[in-house]
Amino acid sequence: MTDGVFGRESGHEQVVFCQDQATGLKAIIAVYSTALGPALGGTRFYPYRSESDALDDVLALSKGMAYKNALAGLDLGGGKAVIIGDPSTTKTEALLRAYGRFVQSLGGRYYTACDVGTYVPDMDVIARETRYVTGRSRDDGGAGDSSVLTAFGVFQGMRAAAEFRWGSPDLAGRHVGVSGVGKVGHILVGHLVEAGARVSITDVSSAAIERTRAAHPSVEVVADNATLVRTPLDVFAPCALGGALNDATVPELAAEIVCGAANNQLAHPGIEKSLEDRGILYAPDYLVNAGGVIQVSDELHGFDFERARRKAAGIFATTKAVFELARSEGVPPATAADRLAERRMSEVGRLRSILAVS
């Protein structure tokens, strides 16, 4: 386990490389900030092409978690972890427990949870080696599947965006395109159908598409993400992996609003300005997809679903506040969201320098 120089270059407090040859574990844990409290963020299990790609992803994701937790009003910092490998072939009990030992070795600076490629049962296994785990099963005293409130929060953010753009949060009759109907996208489709929206979907997994169509026969299926991007939509909801908004997709995007669950949707700085120039209202991803972290963080206080759901419902008001700040300061919503998050990390984080003796 080695701390790299990458943390200093990227603004991260700590970057830890973890390896256990016997189980095949290769992981990276990145702690971006503990200004507001211990870093909380999920563990992504993914077959990265290279260690460099994995490092780039975990650095970006952990920073996003710090901003997400700050905007969500949580007393938690931001971190993330990635395990390099194909979870369908390399995930084992021994590997997950080895990973849990590395999480435990950080002494509570980082709490983990589910992400792409990891699930509630995995958190229960990891918890056998470390107490710094959230997103565990209800039977194990946890919050269960965080996708539930992640999707709910995105839906609330979408309603806020609709009100800001069209004067009403009602999504009935609006055409929403959901790219990625996995854990979160599938649940989001349910909220949209219930709200009376017309829904089009796409996913690289035919099984995910069939599962969603079975639950919601009214949804329309398009061939691929490129087709969905070019489809005239009221709302485009990226719910797969990051980088969905890039130099190729933004010029072709035929939607008035972008609001989805995927992390790190902006491929690089400047994309938010491109969206603004095209008149597309962007609901910052780490703002609207915070319902999941709100759900799992509630475990730290003894989980209560209704309490967590009430907190996640607040994403509606926070999203509206970000849009209003963006309008008043003449900046894209992504910039306004960053400013609010950075302000809270600075103002509240500073208080930790005041010695309090219990």
Side-chain angles (χ1 to χ4, degrees):
M1 182 172 70
T2 309
D3 289 336
V5 299
F6 307 100
R8 295 194 297 273
E9 295 174 353
S10 64
H12 286 67
E13 291 182 10
Q14 189 173 20
V15 181
V16 180
F17 289 73
C18 316
Q19 180 167 299
D20 180 62
Q21 292 183 345
T23 61
L25 173 70
K26 292 185 68 175
I28 308 173
I29 302 172
V31 174
Y32 181 77
S33 171
T34 56
L36 295 176
L40 171 63
T43 296
R44 178 164 296 189
F45 204 137
Y46 190 75
Y48 293 97
R49 291 178 299 178
S50 67
E51 187 177 274
S52 177
D53 286 350
L55 178 62
D56 288 344
D57 203 28
V58 77
L59 292 179
L61 289 167
S62 55
K63 180 176 181 180
M65 286 304 305
Y67 282 62
K68 179 187 297 187
N69 294 340
L71 270 187
L74 302 175
D75 291 333
L76 292 165
K80 203 77 172 184
V82 296
I83 298 175
I84 302 171
D86 184 343
S88 68
T89 58
T90 62
K91 185 193 295 182
T92 63
E93 176 190 351
L95 182 148
L96 291 173
R97 293 182 70 160
Y99 170 66
R101 301 286 291 184
F102 282 106
V103 173
Q104 180 67 22
S105 74
L106 295 180
R109 284 179 54 79
Y110 169 66
Y111 280 78
T112 195
C114 301
D115 197 77
V116 174
T118 59
Y119 302 86
V120 170
D122 299 328
M123 296 303 111
D124 288 347
V125 173
I126 293 168
R128 296 172 72 175
E129 299 295 338
T130 178
R131 63 182 180 273
Y132 305 116
V133 182
T134 60
R136 294 164 295 147
S137 67
R138 298 290 183 90
D139 290 342
D140 205 36
D145 185 5
S146 63
S147 302
V148 175
L149 290 189
T150 301
F152 176 70
V154 173
F155 179 66
Q156 296 305 317
M158 198 178 293
R159 292 178 63 247
E163 181 172 294
F164 188 80
R165 174 51 60 95
W166 301 307
S168 169
D170 189 0
L171 293 169
R174 297 293 180 186
H175 189 183
V176 182
V178 181
S179 178
V181 285
K183 289 192 290 185
V184 177
H186 175 81
I187 300 172
L188 176 61
V189 168
H191 288 300
L192 293 168
V193 170
E194 185 178 359
R198 173 189 170 194
V199 182
S200 296
I201 66 171
T202 190
D203 198 295
V204 296
S205 168
S206 58
I209 289 175
E210 290 308 313
R211 172 173 172 249
T212 303
R213 288 188 67 192
H216 309 289
S218 65
V219 301
E220 305 165 17
V221 178
V222 301
D224 51 34
N225 185 68
T227 303
L228 189 62
V229 164
R230 293 192 298 268
T231 301
L233 300 167
D234 293 304
V235 184
F236 175 60
C239 295
L241 296 179
L245 303 173
N246 54 51
D247 294 326
T249 57
V250 170
E252 295 193 329
L253 187 59
E256 292 193 48
I257 293 171
V258 174
C259 180
N263 288 309
N264 298 327
Q265 293 170 24
L266 306 179
H268 61 77
I271 293 292
E272 72 282 0
K273 183 64 166 56
S274 299
L275 291 166
E276 185 88 351
D277 290 345
R278 293 206 57 220
I280 299 171
L281 179 63
Y282 171 61
D285 48 38
Y286 70 79
L287 164 61
V288 301
N289 68 13
V293 75
I294 290 171
Q295 180 173 335
V296 298
S297 69
D298 199 74
E299 286 185 28
L300 304 179
H301 311 287
F303 183 65
D304 183 297
F305 181 80
E306 289 305 318
R307 177 177 62 198
R309 192 178 189 276
R310 287 193 298 272
K311 292 178 183 177
I315 290 172
F316 179 86
T318 307
T319 304
K320 286 180 62 177
V322 165
F323 289 147
E324 292 295 344
L325 179 63
R327 179 159 58 187
S328 67
E329 296 192 355
V331 297
T335 303
D338 285 353
R339 289 178 180 177
L340 282 177
E342 289 163 359
R343 185 182 306 164
R344 183 165 184 262
M345 283 189 278
S346 175
E347 293 177 352
V348 178
R350 183 195 62 80
L351 300 179
R352 300 183 71 187
S353 68
I354 301 173
L355 179 63
V357 180
S358 59

